[in-house]
């Protein structure tokens, strides 16, 4: 498995078998569409982990944030189609799986997210899911998962660029770290966006901070991201050291930098 997610009593191991979809490795083997295999283990006790159930969904995962167990069900966000496809055939789906007789069975799903795009970031917070897809523009989708049998997309915000990591902060706000991009999808540099998600039907971007020709490791590794809530500070590693941003109300401002040694 490539991805591990745990919430305390449960641990999930996921393997998307993306290598099976690769062209050219063996000319005699027809490439398969990626599918993600999921295995649930009970780690609540002090003994060995206990296998509980397994299942499979179409598509591949972006990272562990594409998995979330809530109210006894597992939510999974995947992109289906060939990972390198540029023909517009990719599409993303949010599944809800329920454990039953040793199987993780589909309880409900909502598809059609970001046709021709792929997932760049996911965050599940309680009964709501937030999914970012990107190819040229960045739709931020809000997904209502209150009824696990009938999940539904309730809102969509289209902006340039994308968020590769989403982090919840106070008062119904969501912070996105990624890249700004032009209308053609060409990336331009670091982008930190502040979203208002209190109304799941109308997510909005309150403000953004950009830094041209720059990236941060936090796009790929959430351990590189720091949010210090008491001071409203965000710390991100960049090529020249550490960037410190102040997030207050509906604003993002540069608080300072710490140079690399």
């Amino acid at each position: 498995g490539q991805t591990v997610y745990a919430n305390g009593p449960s641990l999930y191991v996921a393997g998307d078998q993306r290598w099976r979809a690769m062209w050219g490795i063996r000319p005699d083997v027809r490439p398969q569409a990626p599918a993600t295999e999921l295995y649930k283990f009970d780690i609540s006790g002090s003994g060995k982990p206990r296998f509980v159930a397994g299942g499979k969904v179409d598509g591949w995962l972006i990272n562990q944030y594409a998995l979330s167990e809530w109210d006894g069900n597992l939510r999974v966000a995947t992109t289906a189609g060939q990972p390198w496809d540029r023909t517009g055939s990719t599409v993303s789906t949010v599944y809800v799986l329920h454990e039953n007789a040793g199987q993780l069975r589909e309880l409900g799903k909502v598809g059609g997210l970001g046709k021709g795009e792929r997932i760049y970031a996911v965050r599940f917070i309680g009964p709501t899911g937030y999914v970012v897809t990107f190819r040229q523009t960045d739709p931020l989708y809000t997904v209502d998962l209150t009824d696990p049998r009938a999940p539904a997309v309730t809102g969509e915000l289209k902006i340039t660029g994308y968020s590769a990591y989403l982090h919840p902060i106070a008062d119904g706000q969501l912070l996105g770290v990624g890249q700004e991009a032009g209308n053609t999808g060409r990336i331009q540099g670091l982008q930190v966006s502040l979203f208002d998600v209190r109304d799941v039907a109308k997510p909005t971007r309150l403000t953004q901070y950009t830094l041209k020709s720059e990236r941060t490791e936090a796009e790929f590794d959430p351990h590189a991201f720091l949010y210090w809530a008491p001071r409203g500070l965000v710390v991100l590693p960049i090529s020249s050291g550490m960037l410190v941003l102040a997030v207050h109300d509906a604003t993002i401002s540069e608080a300072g930098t710490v140079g690399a040694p």
Side-chain angles (χ1 to χ4, degrees):
Q2 295 87 16
T3 306
V4 175
Y5 158 75
N7 68 345
S10 299
L11 181 142
Y12 293 87
V13 177
D16 59 29
Q17 305 297 309
R18 211 174 311 179
W19 61 272
R20 294 181 182 273
M22 296 181 68
W23 290 91
I25 292 180
R26 287 183 56 186
D28 59 323
V29 177
R30 183 178 180 180
Q32 302 178 26
T36 296
E37 298 173 351
L38 298 155
Y39 302 95
K40 179 181 179 180
F41 296 86
D42 181 353
I43 58 171
S44 59
S46 58
K48 294 181 179 180
R50 181 177 61 87
F51 174 72
V52 176
K56 184 167 70 172
V57 294
D58 292 335
W60 75 91
L61 303 174
I62 184 66
N63 54 31
Q64 69 268 36
Y65 289 98
L67 299 168
S68 170
E69 186 182 275
W70 187 76
D71 199 24
N73 299 315
L74 177 68
R75 291 89 62 89
V76 186
T78 67
T79 297
Q82 305 297 347
W84 55 86
D85 180 36
R86 295 185 179 275
T87 64
S89 65
T90 54
V91 66
S92 298
T93 301
V94 176
Y95 297 89
V96 181
L97 306 180
H98 184 74
E99 175 195 332
N100 183 11
Q103 297 290 320
L104 293 172
R105 303 182 187 276
E106 182 182 307
L107 197 60
K109 69 178 181 180
V110 56
L113 282 73
K115 294 181 179 179
E117 302 171 344
R118 71 170 178 86
I119 290 176
Y120 271 67
V122 184
R123 196 73 189 230
F124 292 100
I125 304 172
T128 306
Y130 302 94
V131 181
V132 172
T133 63
F134 176 74
R135 185 178 181 185
Q136 289 183 322
T137 57
D138 164 14
L140 169 65
Y141 295 98
T142 54
V143 182
D144 183 1
L145 296 155
T146 305
D147 182 354
R149 297 182 182 276
V153 174
T154 54
E156 178 182 350
L157 173 65
K158 285 190 176 182
I159 54 177
T160 57
Y162 63 84
S163 297
Y165 175 67
L166 298 171
H167 191 86
I169 60 178
D171 301 324
Q173 294 180 343
L174 197 64
L175 205 67
V177 179
Q179 289 281 306
E180 174 62 298
N183 292 328
T184 61
R186 184 175 181 179
I187 60 174
Q188 300 174 345
L190 174 66
Q191 173 177 260
V192 180
S193 299
L194 182 62
F195 300 104
D196 184 340
V197 293
R198 287 174 295 182
D199 185 348
V200 294
K202 295 180 179 179
T204 59
R205 182 163 66 181
L206 299 173
T207 189
Q208 66 182 133
Y209 171 92
T210 59
L211 192 59
K212 286 187 177 181
S213 304
E214 190 59 85
R215 302 192 77 105
T216 174
E217 186 65 21
E219 291 184 45
F220 315 102
D221 183 358
H223 298 95
F225 175 90
L226 171 65
Y227 175 64
W228 190 18
R231 296 289 297 274
L233 294 178
V234 173
V235 183
L236 299 169
I238 57 176
S239 59
S240 60
M242 305 297 291
L243 173 66
V244 183
L245 301 175
V247 182
H248 296 292
D249 299 324
T251 65
I252 301 175
S253 60
E254 186 174 319
T257 57
V258 180

